[in-house]
Amino acid sequence: MTRSHIVLLIIMAALIGAFFYSDLQHLLTLDNLKAKHEALIAYTDAHPVKATAFYALIYIAITALSLPGAALLTLAGGAIFGLLWGTLIVSFASTIGATLAFLAARFLFRDLVKARFADRVKAVDEGMARDGAYYLFTLRLVPIFPFFVINLVMGLTAIATRTFYWISQLGMLPGTVVYVNAGTQLAKIDTLSGLFSPALLGSFVLLGFFPLIARRTVSAIRANKIYQKWTKPEKFDTNLVVIGAGAAGLVAAYVAAAAKAKVMLVEKHKMGGECLNTGCVPSKALIRSTRLLAQFHSAAKFGISGIKADFDFAEIMDRVQRVIEAVAPHDSAQRYRELGVDVIEGTARIVSPWEVEVTTGQGSRILTTRSIIIAAGSRPFIPAISGLENIDYLTSDTVWNLREQPRRLLVLGGGPVGCELAQAFARLGTQVIQVEKAPRLLTREDAEVSKTIAEKFGQEGIDVRLGHTAKQFLIENGEHILIADYQGQEKRIGFDKLLLAIGRTANTSGFGLEDIGVELSPGHTVQVDECQATNYPNIFACGDAAGPYQFTHVAAHQAWHASVNALFGSFNKFRTDYAVIPWATFTDPEIARVGLNEQDARQQGVAYEVSVYNVDDLDRAIADSAAHGFVKILTPPGRDKILGVTIVGQHAGDIIAEFVLAMKHGLGLNDILRTIHIYPTMAEANKNAAGVWRRHHQPELLLKWIARFHAWRRG
């Protein structure tokens, strides 16, 4: 806590202590108000401004300090000032006092709570940003909820002060009128509890549902408005049409078929999408071949000499295709037809919220459907760089067509795809130049991760050019040249083949979104809500087309929610949970992460501690001659809750699964430490990392007393 926090606490504590020490609470009683009623009215008649100001200041102070007596003061407002003026004064005084209490709670405790419960606070803040005004209005309308508690709790959220003020004033108004009106009949009141009959309380509870009902009504009106220009079919050919048979589309279709819905899956290219045909599967097949080649080259450190590895580049690339063909039956049209999905190989175009035009080799037809899921995937991003149109460049989609190994490969981009392919081609003997405009590779990871990969690339002969911005491509005397800017200087980089690896962009055009007005996000993905729905409540999107994560496993996660909400959303909707999202970059060493890293925590203002275990101390890693890398864990100060984990090393993508499970189910480092791990395995690094945290949080005082106890027992 800062000095200003402490000063405010002392002042508030002194005022609250003075209130109770002076026994002022006994003045705020119904009997005392009745006894002095005539005197108070006489003083008000003689000094109306002073009386009003004095009353309002007392009310504000009582409310701001969360002291007892607000109900009695409200009655007094009616008894002294009458219904109209009493309501007006109490309304403003109570709202100002509540806002002061709200601001005090926010100033004193918001940062502490956010640091200790970062993930929960983030979820609450997201909920408040979405529905906070409705929740607050409901709580204010129902007087059975203590208002001082509402003031303090709301201060811990991110709701705007202005919103808190006006919603509070509006929401407390009905209860204020009831109390002030009761005060005008002071002589008839025997107890405060008698003010509210069960019927009146029931009326307030029903009134509390009004904001939620109003919100549902507004949503229904908006939905009807967007559908106004369309004619809804009386009956439908199918329950669901899924556009795109990549990772997201396949899962969405399977879920619908498993739920016994009639579902049609439309794919214009290849089943399995980018992941199977040009992404995850082929890249991992190539990486496996090149990793084996690298192991042959380092055989001496395993005590083996004389190994010679001959290879043919075209054969390695053919193997990649064989791997794709071996996996393809898992995603084939035949398999999904057997699962109950009507697979159509053709193009789809949305012509209305309930109609999709499907074109195949046999012609076109219109399908009517209750819901639509857009799972159209993404494509490589092509930058607008002068001269690029004259270069026969490669992307992560087309590089698999190569059969002749390039002598010099320029990789433009230092993200996961660029790093994986740069290392793979370098291990095949290609001279690789990797150009990245950022000051380091893999900028989403912490700096030491980037440093580890850059050092490894340097050892393997990759020419990494950081801080270089591509400006122009030239062809001079048959040679391909990149003109790049580096710290204001022009750099000329020669190459034979160019690989663009600077991200992917969502496929959002060509299938009718623009025709019916489906909204796009600022990032040019399909705009979806927390349930994967677009601005049309019956049209959903998932996977790369929707973002924000471009991972196969996230696409599948979104697809389940999109499919279930498309089929059953009229009964109940499920929000997509992004709380625990793992990913891996399959360089050597591998990088795996889940949750926050240090740069994320700093950007979000989350307090954290770091525990690092270096893999060079792990027995299995030493035995495998893979003693490099680390496990880094972020936890809240003094607690074993896992905020995030980064693993660098052999099999990082596999061994991080333990932390993913722990974070999903709320397990802490002590739980991992108490779990038996097989010896010797790489997974023991997880337990050892938990042990690092435990050693830094030992009960030192208790251990000193235990040491004395043992010394005493030794005599």
Side-chain angles (χ1 to χ4, degrees):
M1 276 194 171
T2 64
R3 182 178 179 181
S4 55
H5 287 83
I6 296 172
V7 169
L8 180 59
L9 274 175
I10 292 173
I11 292 173
M12 293 180 66
L15 291 173
I16 294 171
F19 176 84
F20 288 104
Y21 181 78
S22 303
D23 208 23
L24 293 177
Q25 71 269 27
H26 289 112
L27 295 177
L28 297 174
T29 63
L30 185 60
D31 291 339
N32 195 40
L33 177 60
K34 286 184 176 182
K36 297 183 178 180
H37 183 207
E38 296 298 331
L40 291 170
I41 291 179
Y43 181 84
T44 302
D45 290 340
H47 310 283
V49 176
K50 284 185 179 180
T52 300
F54 189 62
Y55 171 81
L57 287 174
I58 292 175
Y59 204 117
I60 290 171
I62 290 291
T63 310
L65 295 171
S66 302
L67 295 171
L72 195 282
L73 282 175
T74 307
L75 288 176
I80 299 169
F81 301 103
L83 178 60
L84 179 60
W85 284 107
T87 299
L88 185 65
I89 296 167
V90 170
S91 178
F92 279 95
S94 62
T95 307
I96 292 171
T99 304
L100 290 174
F102 163 87
L103 291 173
R106 171 167 291 179
F107 178 72
L108 291 171
F109 305 116
R110 162 83 174 162
D111 290 342
L112 292 175
V113 172
K114 185 177 179 181
R116 189 169 179 84
F117 306 102
D119 53 343
R120 295 182 185 178
V121 169
K122 182 180 178 182
V124 170
D125 285 348
E126 289 174 352
M128 292 302 295
R130 185 174 56 247
D131 300 314
Y134 292 98
Y135 293 151
L136 178 59
F137 194 29
T138 297
L139 293 172
R140 290 303 196 195
L141 283 172
V142 184
I144 60 176
F145 298 110
F147 282 178
F148 78 93
V149 175
I150 297 172
N151 301 335
L152 300 179
V153 171
M154 285 292 168
L156 304 180
T157 72
I159 189 171
T161 304
R162 181 182 298 178
T163 302
F164 176 85
Y165 180 91
W166 76 265
I167 289 291
S168 294
Q169 186 157 31
L170 185 62
M172 291 190 292
L173 189 58
T176 298
V177 172
V178 170
Y179 263 94
V180 172
N181 184 61
T184 63
Q185 308 294 320
L186 185 63
K188 299 178 182 180
I189 301 174
D190 296 322
T191 63
L192 291 178
S193 60
L195 289 175
F196 288 98
S197 65
L200 184 59
L201 282 174
S203 298
F204 273 112
V205 170
L206 290 175
L207 187 61
F209 284 103
F210 172 76
L212 301 179
I213 296 172
R215 183 171 184 244
R216 291 289 182 92
T217 303
V218 169
S219 297
I221 292 172
R222 287 177 177 173
N224 289 333
K225 185 177 180 180
I226 202 170
Y227 289 128
Q228 277 182 353
K229 65 179 180 179
W230 307 104
T231 301
K232 187 175 182 178
E234 294 183 1
K235 60 181 181 178
F236 302 92
D237 299 321
T238 183
N239 299 101
L240 180 64
V241 170
V242 180
I243 300 174
L250 291 173
V251 172
Y254 171 74
V255 169
K260 303 306 179 184
K262 187 174 183 181
V263 54
M264 293 189 177
L265 175 63
V266 185
E267 172 56 56
K268 69 176 182 179
H269 189 43
K270 294 181 178 180
M271 295 287 289
E274 178 260 342
C275 181
L276 169 63
N277 297 289
T278 61
C280 316
V281 173
S283 64
K284 302 314 163 284
L286 177 63
I287 287 170
R288 182 64 188 95
S289 293
T290 60
R291 188 167 293 177
L292 178 61
L293 192 60
Q295 289 172 337
F296 283 161
H297 292 158
S298 60
K301 68 180 181 182
F302 295 95
I304 303 171
S305 60
I307 291 183
K308 183 180 179 182
D310 293 325
F311 69 91
D312 179 74
F313 178 80
E315 177 56 29
I316 287 179
M317 299 304 282
D318 286 341
R319 175 188 175 271
V320 170
Q321 294 303 316
R322 291 196 297 272
V323 170
I324 294 172
E325 292 168 3
V327 177
H330 303 164
D331 298 342
S332 66
Q334 178 182 347
R335 178 172 184 254
Y336 275 79
R337 289 184 179 115
E338 291 171 354
L339 292 171
V341 178
D342 187 354
V343 180
I344 301 174
E345 297 177 54
T347 60
R349 186 174 188 84
I350 302 172
V351 295
S352 88
W354 302 282
E355 295 174 310
V356 178
E357 181 184 27
V358 177
T359 302
T360 65
Q362 288 73 44
S364 299
R365 58 174 173 145
I366 300 292
L367 296 174
T368 57
T369 177
R370 291 197 65 89
S371 298
I372 300 168
I373 291 180
I374 301 162
S378 63
R379 64 189 184 278
F381 174 72
I382 308 301
I385 301 175
S386 175
L388 181 60
E389 67 277 5
N390 300 318
I391 305 296
D392 185 19
Y393 58 80
L394 302 167
T395 68
S396 57
D397 281 2
T398 61
V399 68
W400 314 111
N401 298 326
L402 276 180
R403 289 301 179 271
E404 182 177 343
Q405 183 176 355
R407 184 176 67 86
R408 296 178 303 171
L409 177 67
L410 173 62
V411 178
L412 191 60
V417 173
C419 287
E420 288 181 1
L421 293 178
Q423 188 177 45
F425 273 89
R427 288 179 163 184
L428 291 172
T430 294
Q431 179 186 340
V432 175
I433 309 101
Q434 187 174 18
V435 172
E436 168 58 49
K437 68 178 181 179
R440 58 187 179 90
L441 300 173
L442 301 169
T443 54
R444 293 181 65 179
E445 309 299 339
D446 282 336
E448 67 267 37
V449 177
S450 301
K451 181 180 178 182
T452 299
I453 297 302
E455 289 176 350
K456 181 67 171 179
F457 280 14
Q459 294 168 8
E460 297 192 0
I462 300 173
D463 183 4
V464 179
R465 307 284 186 94
L466 301 175
H468 284 63
T469 302
K471 293 296 185 180
Q472 185 181 11
F473 287 98
L474 302 174
I475 301 177
E476 293 182 352
N477 300 320
E479 183 179 16
H480 297 79
I481 297 173
L482 167 65
I483 305 297
D485 176 77
Y486 176 67
Q487 298 181 352
Q489 298 179 1
E490 182 182 287
K491 299 291 183 180
R492 297 170 65 89
I493 304 171
F495 63 92
D496 298 314
K497 277 291 185 181
L498 169 65
L499 172 62
L500 299 177
I502 49 179
R504 300 182 68 84
T505 186
N507 292 324
T508 57
S509 61
F511 46 93
L513 300 188
E514 58 274 21
D515 296 334
I516 69 168
V518 172
E519 294 176 355
L520 301 183
S521 73
H524 304 290
T525 59
V526 180
Q527 181 70 58
V528 295
D529 63 15
E530 65 274 12
C531 299
Q532 303 300 135
T534 68
N535 54 311
Y536 284 90
N538 73 310
I539 300 179
F540 298 78
C542 52
D544 285 6
Y549 299 96
Q550 293 184 334
F551 302 124
T552 297
H553 45 285
V554 176
H557 179 63
Q558 292 176 332
W560 183 93
H561 289 81
S563 191
V564 171
N565 289 327
L567 297 173
F568 305 109
S570 56
F571 303 102
N572 188 39
K573 292 184 178 180
F574 297 86
R575 293 177 177 174
T576 310
D577 178 16
Y578 296 112
V580 183
I581 301 293
W583 66 78
T585 301
F586 295 92
T587 50
D588 183 8
E590 286 184 8
I591 305 161
R593 180 149 78 89
V594 62
L596 298 178
N597 61 8
E598 286 197 77
Q599 65 180 12
D600 289 344
R602 285 192 294 267
Q603 289 170 1
Q604 297 177 25
V606 177
Y608 65 92
E609 294 177 343
V610 178
S611 300
V612 178
Y613 173 74
N614 291 311
V615 177
D616 58 8
D617 195 46
L618 185 67
D619 292 358
R620 179 56 184 268
I622 295 170
D624 286 354
S625 291
H628 51 263
F630 55 85
V631 178
K632 181 165 77 168
I633 306 172
L634 270 62
T635 54
R639 300 176 59 211
D640 75 332
K641 178 182 176 62
I642 304 168
L643 297 177
V645 180
T646 298
I647 301 179
V648 177
Q650 185 170 283
H651 303 300
D654 297 317
I655 64 177
I656 202 169
E658 182 174 19
F659 287 114
V660 178
L661 181 71
M663 291 182 67
K664 178 65 177 177
H665 296 285
L667 302 177
L669 293 180
N670 282 317
D671 297 303
I672 290 178
L673 195 58
R674 288 191 292 263
T675 301
I676 298 173
H677 291 65
I678 297 173
Y679 177 87
T681 60
M682 295 297 291
E684 276 191 301
N686 295 346
K687 183 174 183 177
N688 293 348
V692 170
W693 176 88
R694 191 75 188 106
R695 285 194 297 275
H696 292 160
H697 295 83
Q698 294 184 97
E700 298 294 341
L701 183 60
L702 176 61
L703 291 174
K704 288 180 181 179
W705 281 102
I706 291 175
R708 292 181 182 180
F709 169 74
H710 289 308
W712 171 76
R713 294 197 70 186
R714 292 194 301 270

